[in-house]
Amino acid sequence: MKTIHKIFTVAILLFISGGTIVGCSSTKNNYTAATDVQEEFKMEKSGAQMWGEACNRCHLAPSPADYNDTDWSTISLHMRVRANLAENEIAKIETFLKSAN
């Protein structure tokens, strides 16, 4: 009966510890793997979403049809500086605006 009790106790300890009884290095590896999975499935915002969020922070966002491609290029350069947007963000916004006009 004591043997069954010991086996049961060990099984519970293994279950609680995640199936392994090792040092901190295992925890680091599991954390890194979890972070990699999160990065892999991270959803990126579309140009339309960024346009709605960034442009409406300070003013009413104009319709994509309000300007032509050349105007949007100039406006994008200006607003990148004014709105403190990253190059990849303004590129997505500009692509959306040009495709929608």
Side-chain angles (χ1 to χ4, degrees):
M1 190 68 170
K2 287 184 179 182
T3 305
I4 293 174
H5 181 66
K6 286 180 185 179
I7 293 172
F8 184 74
T9 303
V10 170
I12 289 175
L13 289 174
L14 282 172
F15 177 77
I16 291 171
S17 69
T20 57
I21 301 177
V22 293
C24 293
S25 63
S26 176
T27 304
K28 182 179 179 186
N29 291 337
N30 288 340
Y31 176 75
T32 303
T35 304
D36 291 343
V37 169
Q38 289 173 351
E39 288 297 319
E40 183 179 340
F41 292 104
K42 190 176 187 181
M43 297 293 290
E44 299 232 358
K45 292 182 180 180
S46 69
Q49 289 172 316
M50 285 191 254
W51 167 74
E53 293 172 4
C55 300
N56 283 316
R57 278 190 300 208
C58 302
H59 59 82
L60 293 175
S63 168
D66 287 349
Y67 301 99
N68 62 34
D69 289 354
T70 305
D71 292 339
W72 279 125
S73 295
T74 305
I75 292 166
S76 295
L77 179 63
H78 175 75
M79 293 310 299
R80 176 181 178 205
V81 174
R82 297 279 310 211
N84 194 26
L85 296 170
E87 185 175 349
N88 65 333
E89 293 172 325
I90 199 65
K92 284 184 176 183
I93 292 170
E94 187 176 343
T95 301
F96 161 72
L97 291 170
K98 287 180 177 181
S99 70
N101 70 8

